[in-house]
């Protein structure tokens, strides 16, 4: 199942998981490249606050996105990602801190979770795998950045474990959305990446193939992350995979491999609505 792209009132274009339409007490999104003010390799909706884009353009893009999704810009939280496995929770204590202390707390973090309504947790990507999480029973949401290094570290599984430990979530209740990212066909890797997965104990024969022309390895990050989610108890029926390759669809989604590392970043986010609405499915 692919994602549904919609253009919001201010021309911001986002993608959403169609299987989540019935969950009325959350809002979620994966941004596209369309509707912002950035130029060049960042055109147009670059939301990467740590990219070498014009900072004013990025701030404007965040403001435009906030208007499109109906939340204040300062309520969109993005960690400073390092391809690791550190998980952080956004709670009332965090919200009481000043901006400097909040930035420190989000440094070196690759997944966020919260039960606070009106707080958007998000991750930025441009080929890496974004994963959105939602527990409709405990009313908890999460966002995970899973590049290949984070996938080796099982960051998606650890995010679920964090939700279990902090909020008593049951993995069987959790819904997961694996967003636009690089596909197996486009994700050619060196032998050091293959070795990293093997050393971490992954049965890589399930997700690795080699090009008949070059002999180079290709790894399926979508499949591995789905495996990690199912392994900890997320129901296969509750996992939605966008199936959109950012490398192939670089005109609509940022791809660092296709556009260069010094290019834009998409944002994948989710938040609980402040005015609770009962879900009509699940």
């Amino acid at each position: 199942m692919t994602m549904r792209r919609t253009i919001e009132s201010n021309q911001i274009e986002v993608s959403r998981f169609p299987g989540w339409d019935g969950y009325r007490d959350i809002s979620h999104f994966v941004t596209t490249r369309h509707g912002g003010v950035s130029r060049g390799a960042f055109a147009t909706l670059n939301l990467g606050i740590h990219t070498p884009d014009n900072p004013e353009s990025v701030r404007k893009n965040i403001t435009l996105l906030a208007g499109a999704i109906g939340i204040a810009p300062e309520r969109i939280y993005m960690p400073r990602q390092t391809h690791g496995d550190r998980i952080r929770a956004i709670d009332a204590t965090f919200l009481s801190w000043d901006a400097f202390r909040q930035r420190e707390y989000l440094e070196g973090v690759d997944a966020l979770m919260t039960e606070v309504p009106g707080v958007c947790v998000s991750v930025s990507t441009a080929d890496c795998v974004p994963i959105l999480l939602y527990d409709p029973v405990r009313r908890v949401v999460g966002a995970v950045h899973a590049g290949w290094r984070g996938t080796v570290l099982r960051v998606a599984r650890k995010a679920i474990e964090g939700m279990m430990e902090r909020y008593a979530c049951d993995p069987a209740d959790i819904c997961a959305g694996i967003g636009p990212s690089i596909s197996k066909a486009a994700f050619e890797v060196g032998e050091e990446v293959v070795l990293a997965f093997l050393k971490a104990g992954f049965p890589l024969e399930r997700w690795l193939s080699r090009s008949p022309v070059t002999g180079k390895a290709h790894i399926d990050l979508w499949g591995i992350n789905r495996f990690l989610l199912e392994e900890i108890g997320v129901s296969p029926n509750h996992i939605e995979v966008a199936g959109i390759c950012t490398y192939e669809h670089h005109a609509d989604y940022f791809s660092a491999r296709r556009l260069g590392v010094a290019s834009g970043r998409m944002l994948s986010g989710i938040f609980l609505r402040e005015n609770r609405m009962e879900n009509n499915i699940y």
Side-chain angles (χ1 to χ4, degrees):
M1 181 182 293
T2 190
M3 301 189 81
R4 183 183 63 254
R5 283 164 52 186
T6 61
I7 299 176
E8 307 301 319
S9 58
N10 59 359
Q11 300 306 303
I12 294 294
E13 185 178 294
V14 300
S15 299
R16 294 189 172 95
F17 294 104
W20 288 16
D21 286 349
Y23 298 121
R24 300 172 61 201
D25 65 340
I26 60 167
S27 179
H28 77 283
F29 61 89
V30 178
T31 61
T32 67
R33 294 186 62 181
H34 308 303
V37 300
S38 295
R39 299 182 177 182
F42 306 102
T44 59
L45 189 60
N46 173 36
L47 294 153
I49 58 177
H50 302 296
T51 61
D53 191 9
N54 182 334
E56 185 55 40
S57 296
V58 179
R59 282 192 290 270
K60 176 65 173 176
N61 289 338
I62 293 171
T63 299
L64 289 169
L65 172 64
I69 63 176
I71 197 170
E74 62 270 17
R75 301 287 276 189
I76 301 175
Y77 292 98
M78 328 173 193
R80 178 67 179 265
Q81 301 159 189
T82 56
H83 297 276
D85 61 354
R86 183 179 295 174
I87 319 298
R88 292 291 199 205
I90 305 296
D91 57 14
T93 300
F94 171 89
L95 295 172
S96 72
W97 293 338
D98 60 30
F100 177 77
R101 190 171 180 187
Q102 288 182 348
R103 283 195 298 271
E104 279 192 323
Y105 180 78
L106 298 178
E107 186 72 26
V109 172
D110 283 86
L112 296 176
M113 56 187 176
T114 191
E115 62 176 353
V116 181
V119 167
C120 180
V121 291
S122 66
V123 290
S124 60
T125 59
D127 285 336
C128 291
V129 181
I131 304 171
L132 297 180
L133 303 170
Y134 170 49
D135 182 343
V137 176
R138 293 291 181 176
R139 296 195 77 236
V140 176
V141 294
V144 182
H145 164 250
W148 75 260
R149 291 178 178 86
T151 301
V152 166
L153 293 171
R154 295 173 167 81
V155 65
R157 179 190 175 102
K158 290 174 181 176
I160 300 289
E161 290 172 343
M163 293 171 68
M164 294 166 64
E165 292 168 8
R166 187 178 182 94
Y167 305 111
C169 294
D170 182 342
D173 296 327
I174 294 174
C175 301
I178 297 175
S181 41
I182 197 163
S183 66
K184 180 181 180 181
F187 190 47
E188 181 183 282
V189 301
E191 293 307 307
E192 73 283 358
V193 177
V194 174
L195 184 60
F197 276 99
L198 291 175
K199 283 186 174 180
F202 285 92
L204 206 54
E205 66 277 0
R206 295 176 56 178
W207 307 292
L208 181 145
S209 62
R210 292 187 178 275
S211 166
V213 177
T214 66
K216 292 283 188 177
H218 289 250
I219 291 178
D220 180 8
L221 293 180
W222 302 345
I224 297 176
N225 278 288
R226 183 179 188 117
F227 163 79
L228 290 171
L229 294 168
E230 292 181 7
E231 184 182 47
I232 198 169
V234 179
S235 169
N237 294 331
H238 297 166
I239 301 172
E240 194 163 339
V241 181
I244 298 171
C245 176
T246 45
Y247 184 88
E248 179 182 353
H249 297 281
H250 60 94
D252 295 315
Y253 300 92
F254 287 110
S255 169
R257 282 206 174 195
R258 194 71 177 257
L259 303 168
V261 175
S263 59
R265 297 295 185 271
M266 309 172 316
L267 205 66
S268 299
I270 185 169
F271 63 94
L272 295 161
R273 298 183 188 275
E274 295 191 85
N275 297 319
R276 182 172 183 177
M277 304 168 67
E278 293 299 323
N279 292 325
N280 59 14
I281 64 174
Y282 199 95

